[in-house]
Amino acid sequence: MRQMTALIKPASSKCNLRCSYCFYCDEAESREKSAETLMQAETAENLIKKMFDFCGDNSTLTFMFQGGEPLLAGVDFFKKFIELVEKHKTEGSRIFYSLQTNGTLIDNDFCKLFKEHNFLVGVSIDGDKELHDKHRCKSFDTAMQGIELLKKHGVDFNILSVITAKTDASMLFDFYIRNDFRNVQPIYCLNPLSGEKDDYSISAKQLARFKKRLFNLWFTEVSKGNHFYIRDFDNLLSLLTKGVTEQCGASGRCNAQLVVEANGTCYPCDFYCLDEFECANINDTDISGILNSEGLKKFFEHTEEKNALCVTCPVKAICGGGCKRYRSLYNQLSGYCPQMDFILHALDKLKSVK
């Protein structure tokens, strides 16, 4: 009896938009071999069967589909995938599905599938039309039409917003309220692997200022007894009250993910899908082989320098240095850490949340 999640990229880094700040395109282009292909049924079945073999009866398996744009794989791929899950699932197992999309390819057929199989769909919307269209290829109107279809079919969905230097916390929160988007996840824009900054790059001071302002608005709303889930803040609250968090890296401790590319190649983390950390191919080995691979070992051994303030930081027990992929952002300014700045700002208010 085990719990296991696979983060599956059925279309690899292929996308119909190619947003300017896409970190996964950056990763894919940094690999020696391109994996821009669609996942075949044989690869999907190998993954599914091996996950059930590893987990056994009475287990909980979550299949998360991301990209690129996973809907490029087509509705028939997902129908076949679900059929294979039903074929191989073990006795007493619980199955969950989720999917992250840019929203532009959502249609009635996808919505019927999502509703029938209880998918949780994450749609990328960065804010109002002007802000969203700046980096997301003028896709706002089409993505919002996709959300209306999800609503029409009663599909559960949440919103993911990439936060850039141009994102204003008050305007974003107002956008959420106007559209009744009350389950959201901010994603803080990463610089390219080359380290070069672009006009979307967010600075340490901008990050702290954004998080503090958004937190204040969120706190005011939840203090009224209104539901409003913001992943960062709710995970921090869970860490303070329960000592656990579902968000990988929120406490500075990495957990291995099972990221599966369209060709079956596996990686330990969505932020580290690079040649150095390639684990194995699900077509060639079982889950135990992946968990014991050299790539996974290198991932856990790999470190990014923590902020020098971590040594004496009063909230280090909560933060743990943060996600290592974001540490270059935390280390931008000597003698300053945006994460410490934010947590110290939020701590007393979070402790008052019931």
Side-chain angles (χ1 to χ4, degrees):
M1 181 174 66
R2 288 188 169 103
Q3 292 187 8
M4 191 171 191
T5 298
L7 199 164
I8 303 160
K9 297 184 178 289
S12 187
S13 59
K14 288 172 67 71
C15 187
N16 60 318
L17 294 185
R18 291 287 184 176
C19 303
S20 59
Y21 51 41
C22 179
F23 83 90
Y24 200 72
C25 286
D26 184 39
E27 287 187 354
E29 290 168 1
S30 298
R31 297 196 292 253
E32 185 175 337
K33 295 180 181 178
S34 171
E36 279 211 354
T37 184
L38 298 179
M39 182 173 282
Q40 301 300 305
E42 180 182 2
T43 298
E45 184 162 24
N46 282 333
L47 169 63
I48 292 163
K49 183 178 186 305
K50 290 173 182 180
M51 284 181 66
F52 280 117
D53 287 347
F54 180 76
C55 292
D57 294 342
N58 302 308
S59 293
T60 301
L61 277 72
T62 301
F63 299 99
M64 303 175 64
F65 300 95
Q66 291 189 353
E69 175 47 58
L71 297 191
L72 286 173
V75 70
D76 288 340
F77 166 83
F78 291 96
K79 289 178 179 178
K80 182 63 175 179
F81 192 100
I82 293 165
E83 178 186 316
L84 291 169
V85 169
E86 293 302 310
K87 173 183 175 182
H88 291 290
K89 73 177 182 180
T90 51
E91 185 176 350
S93 291
R94 301 173 68 208
I95 312 300
F96 296 93
Y97 297 104
S98 65
L99 181 144
Q100 183 176 336
T101 174
N102 61 40
T104 62
L105 301 179
I106 294 171
D107 60 18
N108 285 309
D109 289 339
F110 272 121
C111 287
K112 290 174 184 176
L113 178 85
F114 296 154
K115 181 62 178 177
E116 181 181 356
H117 298 283
N118 300 310
F119 273 66
L120 172 63
V121 179
V123 185
S124 295
I125 301 284
D126 286 354
D128 61 24
K129 181 178 175 67
E130 181 180 0
L131 179 63
H132 178 95
D133 283 349
K134 181 175 178 58
H135 295 293
R136 300 193 68 85
C137 307
K138 298 182 179 181
S139 62
F140 180 83
D141 291 338
T142 310
M144 291 296 282
Q145 289 169 13
I147 288 174
E148 289 305 311
L149 278 176
L150 294 175
K151 290 179 179 179
K152 175 183 175 182
H153 287 268
V155 177
D156 288 336
F157 71 93
N158 56 29
I159 299 297
L160 302 102
S161 300
V162 177
I163 309 305
T164 70
K166 302 296 184 181
T167 309
D168 179 272
S170 297
M171 292 178 65
L172 181 61
F173 193 82
D174 287 346
F175 172 78
Y176 291 153
I177 293 293
R178 288 198 312 273
N179 290 278
D180 198 28
F181 295 155
R182 290 181 173 267
N183 294 280
V184 304
Q185 178 185 349
I187 301 172
Y188 304 103
C189 194
L190 289 165
N191 289 334
L193 290 168
S194 65
E196 296 180 5
K197 293 187 177 182
D198 210 316
D199 64 341
Y200 54 71
S201 297
I202 191 167
S203 72
K205 290 284 189 178
Q206 287 172 328
L207 174 62
R209 183 166 59 250
F210 173 86
K211 293 184 79 168
K212 287 190 287 186
R213 288 178 176 175
L214 188 66
F215 175 85
N216 290 345
L217 295 163
W218 170 83
F219 182 78
T220 299
E221 189 69 10
V222 298
S223 294
K224 297 175 184 176
N226 298 327
H227 170 77
F228 204 112
Y229 175 88
I230 296 183
R231 192 182 187 197
D232 280 20
F233 307 151
D234 281 84
N235 268 266
L236 186 54
L237 181 61
S238 178
L239 199 59
L240 288 169
T241 57
K242 303 174 184 177
V244 296
T245 174
E246 58 80 25
Q247 187 175 19
C248 183
S251 61
R253 294 186 294 271
C254 288
N255 297 315
Q257 301 172 343
L258 177 61
V259 184
V260 187
E261 267 282 356
N263 64 1
T265 303
C266 298
Y267 298 92
C269 173
D270 201 29
F271 284 155
Y272 290 90
C273 290
L274 302 169
D275 291 337
E276 179 182 359
F277 307 109
E278 181 179 320
C279 293
N281 192 296
I282 197 65
N283 293 305
D284 303 325
T285 189
D286 57 17
I287 300 297
S288 294
I290 292 167
L291 295 177
N292 289 288
S293 66
E294 189 64 26
L296 188 66
K297 180 182 177 183
K298 287 181 179 179
F299 169 72
F300 281 116
E301 290 175 346
H302 176 78
T303 60
E304 303 283 356
E305 185 178 358
K306 291 185 179 182
N307 192 300
L309 293 176
C310 286
V311 177
T312 57
C313 177
V315 294
K316 64 181 178 182
I318 300 171
C319 170
C323 171
K324 60 187 178 184
R325 183 69 170 86
Y326 279 101
R327 287 179 188 166
S328 59
L329 177 53
Y330 300 158
N331 282 332
Q332 279 187 355
L333 297 174
S334 177
Y336 177 77
C337 173
Q339 190 72 342
M340 180 176 70
D341 189 359
F342 161 66
I343 293 175
L344 288 173
H345 170 83
L347 198 54
D348 287 342
K349 289 182 178 180
L350 279 171
K351 290 177 178 177
S352 72
V353 177
K354 303 299 182 184

